[in-house]
Amino acid sequence: MPHGRFSGSLCSPKIDVVIDMGNPFLNRTVDGFLKIGAVGACKVAAEETFEWLHRGDVSKHKLERALKKMCKEGAYWGTVAGVYVGMVYGVERVRGRNDWKNAMIGGALSGALISGSSNNHKDKIIKDAITAGAVATAVEFINYLT
């Protein structure tokens, strides 16, 4: 029977969360989903708080709407991150190497998959794949420098 564990620690500025679902692919995918999903939810919380302070009114209805928006955005961002992390892991396993090319290929595949699921046209899917591959590669190089 599968089992899971969850543990975490906070050492500024890095947050380390360990997910053990018994499978490295699932571990990385769920980890990416949770971390980036939390970022998406925090983004919405900050935007809504600014709006409330700017307008000077808060109501139960606005709070409920903000919570729904936080869940929706958190789930979307987390799903995108989970797809990307899963793709990178899969590419790493297929290629047998851990280098920047995995990020480029994983980003391109993720960008195409997510764009395609949004019912975009062929040209838009290709542009999104190229953009996601370029961004993932740039992030990989920046992480290497720091």
Side-chain angles (χ1 to χ4, degrees), residues 10-76:
L10 176 62
C11 298
S12 184
K14 183 178 179 180
I15 298 174
D16 188 24
V17 178
V18 177
I19 307 292
D20 184 9
M21 302 198 55
N23 182 322
F25 173 77
L26 289 176
N27 294 347
R28 291 182 186 189
T29 303
V30 171
D31 184 60
F33 177 87
L34 291 174
K35 286 179 180 176
I36 302 303
V39 170
C42 289
K43 172 193 164 286
V44 172
E47 290 172 347
E48 294 297 318
T49 302
F50 175 79
E51 285 296 319
W52 295 339
L53 293 174
H54 182 68
R55 294 179 190 234
D57 65 333
V58 178
S59 66
K60 182 179 177 182
H61 173 71
K62 288 183 179 182
L63 179 63
E64 288 174 354
R65 191 182 74 207
L67 288 173
K68 285 181 183 178
K69 191 174 175 183
M70 286 172 64
C71 290
K72 183 179 176 181
E73 286 288 314
Y76 177 76

